[in-house]
Amino acid sequence: MNKQERVTFVINTLKELYPTIPIPLDHKDPYTLLIAVLLSAQCTDVRVNQITPLLFAKADNPYDMIKMSVEEIKEIIRPCGLSPMKSKGIHGLSHILIDKHGGKVPQSFEFLEELPAVGHKTASVVMSQAFGVPAFPVDTHIHRLMYRWNLTNGKNVVQTEKDAKRIFPEELWNDLHLEIIWYGREYSPARGWDLDKDIITKTIGRKSVIDDYYKKHPVSK
C-alpha cells in the first residue's frame, strides 16, 4: 500500500470498530472537561473518572472552586498524582476564568494555553470535545501508533501532531484522535501487545517494528 492507501485503511478500520465513540473523561460542560483533562496528565482516565465526582460534588464551576483552598483541592485529587501542581493550577485557572473571562472557559487556543497547568494538548482536547473546533491532540498512545503505522517519523508529540494534521482530513480530526486512543488501549498497547489482534499494525505497520516484535515473539509468526 502507498501512504494514501494506508491512511484510508486506518480511517475505515477505525470507523468500523468505533461507529459511536465513547468520550474517555466524564464531564458535563467545558469547565468540568478542562479540569478532568488537566487531572489526566500522568494519570489514567479511569482514575480521573473516580476522582472528579468527589471534586465536582464540592465545586463544578470556577466560583465554587475558588472558595476551596489549594490544600483542600490537593487532598481530593491526590490519587491522580502531581497533586501539588494540579491543585495550584485548578485554583489559579479558576480565578483567571472569573477575572478575565466572566467565569467561562474561553474558546481560544491562545487564552486556554495562558491558563496555569494547561498545555497545548489539554487546550486541544477542550477545543475539540467542548467546542467542536478541529484539533488533533496527540498523547503517548497516538504518538506510539502513528509511529507503528509508519505515518510519522516524529521523535516527539509536536512533530507527530503536525504529521497527523497533514495526512488526515480536517473534518475527521476530532473523531480520529479519540478512535486512535481507544484503539491503542484495546489493540495496540505499549505493554502486553499482541500483534495478531492489532489488525492495523499487522496490515500496514512499519517493517522494523513488526520485525522487532517477531524477534521477541517468534512463536506468533
Side-chain angles (χ1 to χ4, degrees):
M1 290 190 202
N2 62 33
K3 192 162 193 176
Q4 188 51 55
E5 288 168 337
R6 285 186 279 123
V7 168
T8 302
F9 178 76
V10 168
I11 292 169
N12 292 342
T13 304
L14 291 173
K15 182 52 69 182
E16 195 175 317
L17 286 170
Y18 305 104
T20 56
I21 309 164
I23 302 297
L25 293 168
D26 297 337
H27 64 282
K28 65 176 184 177
D29 57 21
Y31 179 76
T32 52
L33 175 63
L34 174 61
I35 301 305
V37 179
L38 188 154
L39 289 174
S40 71
Q42 295 185 36
C43 180
T44 66
D45 292 347
V46 172
R47 171 83 37 102
V48 173
N49 288 337
Q50 291 168 345
I51 298 305
T52 47
L54 308 175
L55 179 63
F56 296 152
K58 290 182 177 290
D60 62 359
N61 62 80
Y63 297 95
D64 287 336
M65 196 67 79
I66 65 169
K67 292 175 187 171
M68 298 173 68
S69 68
V70 172
E71 196 59 39
E72 287 174 304
I73 297 170
K74 184 167 82 173
E75 281 307 307
I76 295 172
I77 69 170
R78 191 182 296 278
C80 284
L82 305 178
S83 57
M85 181 201 77
K86 289 176 180 177
S87 56
K88 284 179 190 167
I90 290 169
H91 201 267
L93 72 80
S94 298
H95 266 292
I96 292 170
L97 292 181
I98 293 167
D99 296 341
K100 289 191 174 180
H101 303 288
K104 302 285 187 188
V105 175
Q107 296 187 41
S108 151
F109 282 100
E110 182 187 354
F111 288 138
L112 282 168
E113 290 180 37
E114 285 175 356
L115 297 172
V118 175
H120 179 66
K121 186 210 148 199
T122 297
S124 295
V125 173
V126 173
M127 290 296 283
S128 64
Q129 292 182 24
F131 301 125
V133 174
F136 211 108
V138 172
D139 66 359
T140 52
H141 294 292
I142 293 178
H143 183 56
R144 180 178 68 252
L145 267 63
M146 288 283 290
Y147 183 81
R148 280 183 178 175
W149 297 343
N150 203 14
L151 297 177
T152 183
N153 292 314
K155 304 293 183 206
N156 53 54
V157 294
V158 175
Q159 184 57 50
T160 300
E161 180 183 333
K162 284 180 185 170
D163 290 339
K165 285 179 170 179
R166 195 182 71 254
I167 63 176
F168 291 120
E170 186 174 348
E171 67 272 16
L172 300 182
W173 289 356
N174 290 355
D175 284 351
L176 272 171
H177 95 261
L178 286 173
E179 290 168 346
I180 295 172
I181 287 170
W182 284 113
Y183 185 89
R185 291 176 186 178
E186 294 183 301
Y187 301 102
S188 195
R191 296 184 186 88
W193 178 33
D194 182 348
L195 182 57
D196 288 330
K197 294 179 181 172
D198 181 355
I199 181 65
I200 296 179
T201 308
K202 196 165 186 183
T203 306
I204 65 160
R206 184 183 296 269
K207 185 177 183 303
S208 60
V209 169
I210 293 174
D211 288 347
D212 187 55
Y213 177 89
Y214 283 131
K215 276 180 199 164
K216 294 174 182 170
H217 307 81
V219 194
S220 305
K221 197 166 186 179

